[in-house]
Amino acid sequence: AQLVESGGGLVQTGGSLRLSCAVSGSDFRTLDMGWFRQAPGKQREFVARITSGGLIFYDASVKGRFTISRDNAVNTLYLRMSSLKPDDTAVYYCNRLPPFVNWGQGTQVTVSS
């Protein structure tokens, strides 16, 4: 499968962004999908998950601020991020759960204080 993330950028504290992840080469609607992030000097960490059936889970650090969704008609995963904090600064990735071996290039999110 190919994963292409987009939508990142530079935003001030308290701002919002919407990330997109276009998935090709696999039957997207059957996949459990997730968002992950990797901050400088840290390991990649889980952010949010949405199952093929629409069940949603969030890491405690983003619950209430981030919203994961999917559009199976266009094979795209989304992450709406609100009330952004400097600690949210990271490269954001999408992947299947469990992850495909190959990750996308990610999209950089930078939150300035």
Side-chain angles (χ1 to χ4, degrees):
Q2 185 177 17
L3 308 164
V4 180
E5 301 92 344
S6 62
L10 173 63
V11 64
Q12 292 184 333
T13 296
S16 300
L17 284 172
R18 189 180 81 156
L19 307 183
S20 299
C21 168
V23 180
S24 59
S26 195
D27 192 354
F28 178 74
R29 59 187 157 183
T30 69
L31 304 178
D32 291 356
M33 295 294 300
W35 284 98
F36 305 81
R37 65 186 180 186
Q38 187 167 18
K42 295 186 178 181
Q43 291 190 335
R44 189 174 292 160
E45 64 180 14
F46 166 80
V47 173
R49 171 187 179 186
I50 183 167
T51 70
S52 58
L55 295 177
I56 291 173
F57 306 89
Y58 296 101
D59 183 80
S61 65
V62 306
K63 195 170 185 179
R65 301 187 299 120
F66 290 10
T67 303
I68 189 171
S69 62
R70 65 192 297 162
D71 186 341
N72 291 337
V74 293
N75 294 350
T76 302
L77 179 73
Y78 301 101
L79 186 68
R80 175 68 177 176
M81 305 186 296
S82 303
S83 302
L84 283 162
K85 307 173 182 178
D87 283 351
D88 295 318
T89 294
V91 178
Y92 284 71
Y93 302 88
C94 65
N95 209 326
R96 183 190 67 174
L97 286 157
F100 292 117
V101 172
N102 295 322
W103 292 75
Q105 84 288 349
T107 187
Q108 176 71 50
V109 172
T110 303
V111 185
S112 63
S113 57

